[in-house]
Amino acid sequence: AIEFAANPPILFLDEPTARLDSHQAGTILTALRRVASTDRTVICSMEFPSAYQFHKFDNVLALRPGGRCAYFGPIGKDSEMLLSYLHSIPGVTQIGNCANPASFALDVISKARVDVVMFFENSKLKIENDKRIRELEEPTEVRPSVVLKEHRRVSQFVQFRVLLIAALRMYWRLPYYNLVRMVSGLLFALLCASLMKKGSITTQKDVSTRMIFMYSVCSTLATINLYPAKDLSNKEMQIFLRERSTRQYRTIPYALSRVVAELVYLWFNITIFSFTFYFTLGLETSIYKFYWFWTFYVLMVSTAVFFGQMIGSLFSNPGNAGNFADIVLGALTTFGGVTISPSKIPKMFVFLFWLSPYHYMLEGLSMTAFRGNDHLIDVVTGDGLQRMSVEEYSVYRFGGVFSFENRWMDAFVLLSFVIMCIGVRMIALHVRSQAV
């Protein structure tokens, strides 16, 4: 079936009816007969075909040991042409009633008293075959070469549309990938919500707890999505490299179709998760703040998913891809701003803080969630107990490094991480496909 999809001009089939009953063998040969009627050549090796199967063919090539040709020519209606030739061989008796012409031909070629190979070499049929070969070898009229501007007959937009439909169907048929991610994320959100103390934010602990919860849940959700995306990308790479040899589509439409299909399911999952989790945190029920909460969750999880796809395409070995992901995630989460306060990170590791997408996710979530909250709380500082608003404490908690004014920059940086991962994956797909 795979070979038929490539529409080859010639098919070589080694015993296509082997180990099939007569009905199934007849069905196969009828299908091959239809293929041959579309100006394509079908060549089959057969052992002891029945008369019904034998008459499906136009020509037959009979070989003696050593690959020497004993007959090559037409079979004819009801094997008339083949039988006429065989009966012309000295010492060959007439075929019996209801006998199989294929079996009769094999008996004659293997048991004839004369050298059937030399008989064929000196026959009129051999002369006609040689003449036909010389005619086919003669150059035909010179026609201008067909020059195609593109290897493909359709535009890249059409390629993208077809590949997108295929990708959406593939994702729908992968419940272990999408359904498991959605259910696990939803269950995790419900678990965290059940642990959250209900009521308004009245203490320093309430603010810190919600910051850590938002960060931890988003980080865990990103990890839940990263590793399945890595494994799926690694499996898809093998299929892509196999299909790439047909040159039916370009790398860019293929990669973009996967991006769009991923985003459709990803946004749906994050939306369900956000509605489940956000309103259990006791934060202000504001559409504006919910929008920023949803935005940073989408951007962070998208960064994780496309980072997983990127390393799945870069590494041919899934184990190496997993080890690389563990190392990178360990470094980025450590210097994301929660484990170590931004103002206390050693100078030699500050660059990791600015490279970590967790930093921008944490800043965006914390600064937008507590923006405008003027409720006063007691905060333990180095100078003793101080009275400050929840918004002021959200800035103080991170050493004054974070700011509400940076929310657009945070979203832009996370979006840049997403675009970078997609771009690197496209380059990896292109480079590895060129090596095939």
Side-chain angles (χ1 to χ4, degrees):
I2 294 175
E3 299 302 331
F4 274 129
N7 193 25
I10 301 177
L11 282 171
F12 294 90
L13 305 177
D14 183 18
E15 298 187 26
T17 60
R19 295 181 297 277
L20 298 178
D21 58 39
S22 58
H23 175 72
Q24 292 176 327
T27 302
I28 292 294
L29 292 178
T30 299
L32 294 176
R33 179 75 253 179
R34 287 198 298 267
V35 172
S37 65
T38 60
D39 293 331
R40 285 181 285 183
T41 302
V42 180
I43 301 175
C44 302
S45 63
M46 303 282 287
E47 288 187 0
F48 307 108
S50 66
Y52 174 77
Q53 298 172 3
F54 190 63
H55 290 148
K56 290 288 185 181
F57 294 90
D58 299 310
N59 297 277
V60 62
L61 169 64
L63 299 176
R64 288 279 294 169
R68 297 179 300 162
C69 181
Y71 178 82
F72 178 58
I75 297 176
K77 184 179 180 181
D78 297 329
S79 303
E80 290 180 354
M81 301 182 72
L82 173 63
L83 294 177
S84 176
Y85 173 83
L86 295 176
H87 290 152
S88 66
I89 299 176
V92 174
T93 59
Q94 294 291 319
I95 185 173
N97 293 331
C98 301
N100 184 353
S103 301
F104 176 75
L106 290 175
D107 289 339
V108 170
I109 291 171
S110 61
K111 300 177 182 179
R113 298 176 181 178
V114 299
D115 188 342
V116 291
V117 174
M118 291 304 301
F119 184 85
F120 176 74
E121 289 290 331
N122 298 321
S123 66
K124 181 179 178 181
L125 179 60
K126 179 62 166 57
I127 296 174
E128 292 176 352
N129 287 346
D130 292 342
K131 180 181 179 181
R132 178 57 178 161
I133 291 174
R134 287 192 296 271
E135 291 175 354
L136 294 174
E137 289 176 342
E138 290 292 329
T140 58
E141 58 177 314
V142 179
R143 297 181 180 180
S145 301
V146 177
V147 179
L148 299 177
K149 295 181 180 180
E150 294 283 344
H151 289 292
R152 300 151 192 89
R153 297 181 179 181
V154 296
S155 66
Q156 293 197 46
F157 175 77
V158 175
Q159 296 175 38
F160 168 76
R161 185 184 65 189
V162 174
L163 290 168
L164 176 59
I165 294 173
L168 290 172
R169 289 176 178 172
M170 181 195 71
Y171 274 61
W172 179 255
R173 295 168 181 171
L174 292 176
Y176 72 88
Y177 180 66
N178 281 303
L179 187 61
V180 169
R181 291 193 304 173
M182 182 179 69
V183 172
S184 58
L186 186 60
L187 292 177
F188 185 66
L190 294 174
L191 174 62
C192 293
S194 66
L195 298 175
M196 180 62 62
K197 178 182 178 182
K198 303 299 185 293
S200 59
I201 301 173
T202 57
T203 65
Q204 175 185 354
K205 181 180 179 181
D206 293 338
V207 180
S208 298
T209 301
R210 281 160 176 78
M211 286 182 179
I212 294 174
F213 257 71
M214 287 190 295
Y215 175 85
S216 301
V217 170
C218 190
S219 301
T220 304
L221 196 63
T223 304
I224 290 174
N225 284 267
L226 187 152
Y227 286 96
K230 171 187 69 67
D231 295 336
L232 180 62
S233 177
N234 195 273
K235 294 177 181 178
E236 279 190 326
M237 174 61 77
Q238 310 306 320
I239 301 174
F240 169 75
L241 295 178
R242 185 185 68 194
E243 293 180 346
R244 186 67 176 82
S245 60
T246 64
R247 299 185 180 274
Q248 294 182 358
Y249 53 80
R250 291 184 179 274
T251 303
I252 293 178
Y254 170 82
L256 290 179
S257 68
R258 265 49 186 178
V259 170
V260 174
E262 182 67 58
L263 288 176
V264 170
Y265 288 93
L266 184 64
W267 288 352
F268 178 77
N269 292 345
I270 296 299
T271 301
I272 294 178
F273 172 86
S274 298
F275 275 106
T276 305
F277 182 63
Y278 178 82
F279 297 103
T280 64
L281 291 173
L283 301 174
E284 181 182 348
T285 55
S286 164
I287 296 177
Y288 176 77
K289 291 188 176 182
F290 176 80
Y291 163 76
W292 279 111
F293 178 89
W294 178 86
T295 298
F296 283 109
Y297 264 69
V298 166
L299 290 174
M300 185 62 216
V301 177
S302 297
T303 301
V305 167
F306 292 116
F307 175 74
Q309 290 187 356
M310 181 188 74
I311 60 176
S313 301
L314 287 173
F315 294 90
S316 57
N317 188 309
N320 293 338
N323 293 335
F324 180 78
D326 293 338
I327 294 172
V328 173
L329 285 182
L332 296 181
T333 52
T334 300
F335 296 97
V338 170
T339 306
I340 307 175
S341 179
S343 59
K344 297 180 180 179
I345 296 178
K347 292 184 178 180
M348 63 182 299
F349 295 113
V350 169
F351 74 96
L352 289 174
F353 171 72
W354 294 105
L355 286 177
S356 174
Y358 294 92
H359 149 213
Y360 302 99
M361 175 267 290
L362 177 61
E363 181 177 21
L365 288 174
S366 300
M367 295 300 101
T368 56
F370 301 105
R371 174 69 173 178
N373 192 330
D374 298 328
H375 182 79
L376 296 178
I377 57 175
D378 293 325
V379 178
V380 179
T381 67
D383 299 327
L385 193 65
Q386 293 187 14
R387 193 84 167 162
M388 62 179 69
S389 67
V390 172
E391 180 181 359
E392 291 173 339
Y393 172 70
S394 66
V395 177
Y396 170 80
R397 169 67 174 77
F398 300 103
V401 177
F402 289 172
S403 171
F404 175 76
E405 306 302 328
N406 295 338
R407 65 192 185 284
W408 289 104
M409 184 198 71
D410 296 332
F412 176 76
V413 173
L414 288 174
L415 181 61
S416 299
F417 279 121
V418 172
I419 296 174
M420 181 196 70
C421 292
I422 294 173
V424 173
R425 185 181 186 228
M426 286 185 180
I427 296 173
L429 289 171
H430 178 74
V431 172
R432 292 186 65 180
S433 66
Q434 295 300 313
V436 176

